[in-house]
Amino acid sequence: YVEIGTVEVLAEMGLGPEIAISDGSGNLRAPLMGMRISRDYGKTWGSQTFRSFGKVGEYTNRARWLRNGRARGPVLEFEVTDRIPWRLIAGYLK
């Protein structure tokens, strides 16, 4: 088994959405990245959890998922929610 402690995606943060996006309550929300994990080589998948990539100007935001458990054949899948220039730099698995 592999311990999946922290997953961190480094990207250019704080770009914000091209168009104001409401979260349903009238508030603006930041672009999101979702991650889900398969623990059996991609046969089945867990629930997707989202992290904020920061509203416009929030450049120090971080996308981290903590305490992700153990897996025999881990496969990580990422999905983005908004049409912004997603500039990914690196990813870390601790």
Side-chain angles (χ1 to χ4, degrees), residues 12-84:
E12 187 175 358
M13 300 288 194
L15 298 177
E18 293 174 352
I19 301 171
I21 299 170
S22 174
D23 63 4
S25 63
N27 298 321
L28 298 180
R29 68 159 177 79
L32 302 173
M33 176 178 273
M35 180 188 77
R36 66 183 187 154
I37 300 175
S38 171
R39 300 177 191 288
D40 55 6
Y41 303 98
K43 301 295 182 194
T44 61
W45 295 90
S47 299
Q48 192 171 40
T49 55
F50 290 91
R51 297 296 180 263
S52 171
F53 262 58
K55 294 179 185 175
V56 173
E58 294 179 347
Y59 302 116
T60 59
N61 210 43
R62 293 170 37 173
R64 293 183 353 159
W65 291 263
L66 305 174
R67 291 178 251 151
N68 294 289
R70 296 172 21 150
R72 179 166 295 193
V75 177
L76 282 66
E77 178 182 76
F78 297 92
E79 178 184 11
V80 296
T81 60
D82 302 294
R83 293 180 51 179
I84 64 167

Side-chain angles (χ1 to χ4, degrees), residues 9-13 15 53 84-90:
V9 175
L10 296 180
E12 187 175 358
M13 300 288 194
L15 298 177
F53 262 58
I84 64 167
W86 290 92
R87 296 183 183 112
L88 301 178
I89 299 165

